[in-house]
Amino acid sequence: MGFSGYGLAVGLAVLAPSLLLIRLPPRPPLPAVHVPVALTWLERAGQAACLVVPAITAPGTVAAGWLIPLTIALAAYYALWVRYLLTGRPLTALYGSLWTVPVPMAILPVIVFFSAAGWLGNPWIAASAAALAAGHIPAALIVARAVAPGRGETV
């Protein structure tokens, strides 16, 4: 245990764009979608862990090479948020696939946190990222199917 400014920065960097949804929600609004309760709990636990664990666990052996995938994934995540804003905030910008990658807005934060685990030599961040992946990606896929059922929409 111990404070990690780098871990805090990673958590805030991923969380910050999501706060846009408070003032700039998607248009049209997200339809009511049934996501299994267990999956919702796992997703929330992963989100909370990915925000808290990186900040409260001291880094191990730092491996600077992990900054490359972390930076690329974070830049791509930010680019998708810019796309969301510039295209009028459609649901497909949040839940549509990009090329052949389904729900990239759910996958990229997971990549950022796994990369942060490698960068900071911290297995607890990796465990948090695994929990996030196990809940957030399947939940996003369920919503994506409800938003564009059977269309295989690519944005």
Side-chain angles (χ1 to χ4, degrees):
M1 294 287 282
F3 177 73
S4 171
Y6 292 134
L8 177 63
V10 168
L12 292 176
V14 173
L15 170 67
S18 298
L19 296 176
L20 289 170
L21 293 173
I22 295 169
R23 299 283 289 171
L24 301 167
R27 295 184 293 197
L30 186 64
V33 178
H34 174 71
V35 176
V37 173
L39 195 56
T40 299
W41 277 96
L42 183 58
E43 178 182 25
R44 296 295 177 252
Q47 290 168 332
C50 281
L51 290 175
V52 174
V53 170
I56 66 165
T57 55
T61 303
V62 174
W66 281 100
L67 278 173
I68 295 167
L70 187 153
T71 303
I72 291 168
L74 189 60
Y77 184 60
Y78 279 16
L80 291 175
W81 276 104
V82 169
R83 177 191 71 175
Y84 167 75
L85 295 171
L86 294 179
T87 58
R89 305 186 330 245
L91 286 168
T92 53
L94 292 175
Y95 294 100
S97 62
L98 180 64
W99 300 309
T100 60
V101 179
V103 293
M105 294 283 279
I107 293 171
L108 287 168
V110 170
I111 293 170
V112 170
F113 286 113
F114 272 123
S115 298
W119 171 44
L120 298 174
N122 190 322
W124 297 108
I125 299 173
S128 299
L132 179 64
H136 193 48
I137 295 170
L141 287 168
I142 290 169
V143 173
R145 281 189 213 105
V147 168
R151 291 180 21 198
E153 183 151 349
T154 302
V155 257

